[in-house]
């Protein structure tokens, strides 16, 4: 039977690798994007060429109505969503004292409220079927805190709270909720920090390299699979040993 996954923020980076990994594992995938339409559509073409169903749908995850509309589109075109990967996220650097309201609100709106919006939108079907899986993408900075990224670290800590709380609330309904906390992963988000910071992060990572988007996609696919059927409320840290 066809199973449908929604991956938010799947036009680039970790979300893109996750959508490809899930597609390879047999999932029909809704590729959500915000600005990079061509990249999302190109991924969809690739997945379809591999014989899988896929669609690209634009929605700002911070906008509840847009997320509801995206889920309706996905459910009409692909079928009911059984796996939600809350991956869409943004980071902003700067001193806490220099972080204006707009920046603070936007980081929380995308990283935390975005995950809440998508979970609320997919849950009616999961609850009625008493089956489903949600994997949230947090960050090691949500576990240990981050200087000059306070809003980001708070939003990612909150994603862990969301994961654990939803896991407890939804377990009686047969829905598992877990979380991956990536370390430093080679994507545009880390490239934006510049070469020097990137090299410093490599040095600080015990395994001696940055993670690849595929490293995280593998962790997500595991949590989504039946091999993880007794796991819920967990934070799987995939960071090359960064916070051991
Ligand atoms: P990225 O390369 O910057 O890609 C971000 C993705 O999120 C893009 O596909 C982007 O879509 C999408 N997105 C951003 N805002 C959105 C919104 N409001 N609505 C819908 N989609 C939105 O980031 P990444 O490194 O892959 O990060 C993915 C997730 O992993 C994020 O939650 C991030 O916090 C987390 N993470 C990353 C690292 C790391 O080292 N890279 C470490 C820990 C955690 P468009 O391009 O189409 O706008």
């Amino acid at each position: 039977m066809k199973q449908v996954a929604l991956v938010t923020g799947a036009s680039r980076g970790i979300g893109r690798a996750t959508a490809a990994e899930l597609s390879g594992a047999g999932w029909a995938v809704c590729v959500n994007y915000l600005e990079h339409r061509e990249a999302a559509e190109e991924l969809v073409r690739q997945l379809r060429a591999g014989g899988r169903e896929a669609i690209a749908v634009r929605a700002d995850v911070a906008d509840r109505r847009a997320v509801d509309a995206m889920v309706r589109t996905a459910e009409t075109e692909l079928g009911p969503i059984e796996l939600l990967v809350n991956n869409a996220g943004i980071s902003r650097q700067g001193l806490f004292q220099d972080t204006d309201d707009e920046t603070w609100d936007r980081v929380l709106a995308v990283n935390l409220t975005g995950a809440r919006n998508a979970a609320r939108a997919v849950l009616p079907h999961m609850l009625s079927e008493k089956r489903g899986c949600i994997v949230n993408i947090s960050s090691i900075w949500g576990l240990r805190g981050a200087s000059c990224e306070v809003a980001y670290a708070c939003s990612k800590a909150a994603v862990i709270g969301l994961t654990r709380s939803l896991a407890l609330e939804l377990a009686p309904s047969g829905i598992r909720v877990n979380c991956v906390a990536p370390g430093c992963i080679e994507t545009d988000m880390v490239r934006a920090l510049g070469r020097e910071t990137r090299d410093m992060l490599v040095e600080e990572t015990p395994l001696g390299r940055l993670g690849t988007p595929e490293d995280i996609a593998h962790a997500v696919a595991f949590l989504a699979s039946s091999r993880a059927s007794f796991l819920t409320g967990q934070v799987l840290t995939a960071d090359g040993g960064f916070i051991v």
Side-chain angles (χ1 to χ4, degrees):
M1 201 182 73
K2 181 176 71 176
Q3 285 190 300
V4 181
L6 165 61
V7 183
T8 66
S11 52
R12 293 182 289 124
I14 292 169
R16 185 182 182 90
T18 299
E21 178 75 21
L22 293 173
S23 179
W27 292 84
V29 183
C30 175
V31 172
N32 160 247
Y33 67 96
L34 181 59
E35 287 171 7
H36 290 85
R37 178 183 184 153
E38 185 41 47
E41 288 181 348
E42 196 251 335
L43 174 63
V44 163
R45 282 193 292 277
Q46 264 179 38
L47 303 185
R48 287 181 181 165
R52 304 294 185 196
E53 279 186 72
I55 57 168
V57 183
R58 183 182 186 280
D60 179 347
V61 293
D63 177 345
R64 191 162 59 80
R65 286 191 187 153
V67 171
D68 287 347
M70 166 172 67
V71 168
R72 280 196 299 275
T73 302
E75 297 198 331
T76 305
E77 294 195 25
L78 297 175
I81 291 164
E82 299 201 349
L83 167 62
L84 166 66
V85 183
N86 274 316
N87 166 80
I90 55 170
S91 66
R92 296 285 180 269
Q93 283 74 44
L95 288 171
F96 177 64
Q97 288 291 74
D98 296 339
T99 304
D100 59 24
D101 290 352
E102 199 188 328
T103 304
W104 180 270
D105 290 348
R106 182 66 184 162
V107 169
L108 285 157
V110 174
N111 296 0
L112 173 61
T113 309
R116 174 261 195 182
N117 288 342
R120 272 185 61 129
V122 301
L123 273 174
H125 171 76
M126 291 185 182
L127 287 167
S128 78
E129 292 298 308
K130 288 196 165 295
R131 191 175 69 214
C133 181
I134 299 175
V135 180
N136 296 320
I137 305 298
S138 176
S139 165
I140 53 167
W141 309 123
L143 285 163
R144 63 167 265 189
S147 165
C148 294
E149 276 192 298
V150 175
Y152 181 76
C154 286
S155 73
K156 293 299 182 178
V159 165
I160 293 170
L162 178 75
T163 301
R164 291 181 172 146
S165 304
L166 273 184
L168 291 171
E169 188 168 318
L170 298 174
S173 301
I175 300 164
R176 296 186 301 109
V177 187
N178 290 291
C179 171
V180 177
C184 305
I185 311 302
E186 186 93 59
T187 68
D188 294 343
M189 190 176 273
V190 161
R191 282 188 281 268
L193 301 173
R195 188 82 208 172
E196 212 175 297
T197 306
R198 182 201 169 277
D199 292 348
M200 203 184 68
L201 293 171
V202 172
E203 235 169 72
E204 280 182 56
T205 302
L207 282 181
R209 66 171 175 89
L210 296 187
T212 63
E214 289 73 23
D215 287 327
I216 305 307
H218 294 153
V220 174
F222 165 66
L223 289 172
S225 75
S226 58
R227 286 177 296 167
S229 61
F230 202 49
L231 272 65
T232 197
Q234 299 306 302
V235 182
L236 179 53
T237 305
D239 69 348
F242 199 98
I243 60 163
V244 170

